[in-house]
Amino acid sequence: MKLPLSFYQRQNVSKIAQELLGKVLVSKVNGKISAGMIVETEAYSSVEKGCHAFNGMTERNKVMFKAGGVSYVYLCYGIHHLFNVVTNDLNQADAVLVRALQPVQGMENMKARMKVDALNRITSGPGKLTKAMGIDKSFNGKVLTGNEIWIEEAGEKIGTKRIVASKRIGIDYAGKDALLLWRFSIKNNEWVSI
DNA sequence: TACGTGATCACG
DNA sequence: GTGATCACGTAA
């Protein structure tokens, strides 16, 4: 079952980032379904320097200001598309970066997109998982209750004891906000990026 | 550890 | 217009 907009339209982005662990991200590209369980996330909020929206709205980050429940996809380092889930209310620019998945469906589609034969860690990293899932900038701003990309409730719920909190990756420019323990992953899951 | 890669951003 | 920057991945 797809997560409803009410799941995303809440204020505590760090809590939402933790609740997304164990949920299943699904994409449908050219009729091909791919799906993976979310095993690693990072929370971003406009009140801290790590967030793209810290200095207000720009052409790149404008979808972050929409009401929660849409995707935010942007190009990083000129090569990688990164996929985020926008949360919170209208004009509250919070988002959760999805950093790693454990494939659960459509593995053949993922391997084909990655041009590899083995499944080995092809979704263990924010840039790799978008490529494997077929997510690019055309997904920017898509509502997550539609038929192109969505997130489903999975069978298992990840308890607090199975969640590891750590510093977010690659945001040294954020000063003391880089120290926030806003990266969350499922303990001992082999698909986590690092 | 080093660097490719190109859109984006804050300047003029 | 222009130059610096960057929520990564791979090779070494």
Side-chain angles (χ1 to χ4, degrees), chain A residues 52-53 55-66 71-75 137 140-141:
Chain A
H52 284 168
N55 288 315
M57 192 186 293
T58 66
E59 184 58 30
R60 177 177 67 166
N61 69 22
K62 62 185 180 186
V63 305
M64 292 184 75
F65 290 79
K66 293 191 177 198
S71 68
Y72 168 43
V73 181
Y74 71 97
L75 188 65
K137 263 201 74 173
N140 191 36

Side-chain angles (χ1 to χ4, degrees), chain A residues 9-188:
Chain A
Q9 294 173 359
R10 292 179 291 153
Q11 298 185 357
N12 191 334
V13 66
S14 152
K15 179 180 164 74
I16 297 172
Q18 293 171 66
E19 290 179 1
L20 280 170
L21 296 175
K23 305 261 190 295
V24 176
L25 175 66
V26 188
S27 70
K28 187 174 179 182
V29 181
N30 296 329
K32 293 179 181 147
I33 296 274
S34 310
M37 182 176 74
I38 298 171
V39 301
E40 179 181 344
T41 60
E42 283 179 0
Y44 289 87
S45 176
S46 56
V47 298
E48 47 88 16
K49 287 181 74 175
C51 184
H52 284 168
F54 181 70
N55 288 315
M57 192 186 293
T58 66
E59 184 58 30
R60 177 177 67 166
N61 69 22
K62 62 185 180 186
V63 305
M64 292 184 75
F65 290 79
K66 293 191 177 198
V70 298
S71 68
Y72 168 43
V73 181
Y74 71 97
L75 188 65
C76 182
Y77 295 109
I79 309 171
H80 312 289
H81 293 280
L82 268 57
F83 169 74
N84 297 252
V85 172
V86 174
T87 69
N88 213 329
D89 298 319
L90 183 66
N91 291 324
Q92 301 296 314
D94 295 354
V96 176
L97 170 67
V98 176
R99 288 190 53 89
L101 302 173
Q102 175 175 333
V104 298
Q105 191 186 341
M107 283 80 150
E108 294 308 313
N109 300 330
M110 298 186 193
K111 287 189 283 190
R113 293 189 192 103
M114 299 300 271
K115 299 186 178 5
V116 294
D117 296 326
L119 204 53
N120 199 299
R121 292 179 64 76
I122 59 173
T123 49
S124 296
K128 291 201 289 184
L129 76 87
T130 53
K131 187 173 178 188
M133 296 283 287
I135 299 170
D136 61 19
K137 263 201 74 173
S138 69
F139 284 77
N140 191 36
K142 295 272 190 225
V143 64
L144 297 172
T145 50
N147 291 317
E148 295 170 273
I149 184 161
W150 65 90
I151 300 176
E152 294 180 353
E153 190 76 54
E156 62 175 326
K157 178 161 183 167
I158 310 298
T160 341
K161 295 198 188 91
R162 292 175 59 199
I163 299 178
V164 182
S166 54
K167 287 185 286 190
R168 294 173 294 175
I169 307 294
I171 55 158
D172 292 343
Y173 60 86
K176 67 174 174 55
D177 288 331
L179 302 175
L180 289 169
L181 299 177
W182 276 13
R183 172 174 174 244
F184 305 102
S185 57
I186 298 180
K187 185 180 286 186
N188 294 330

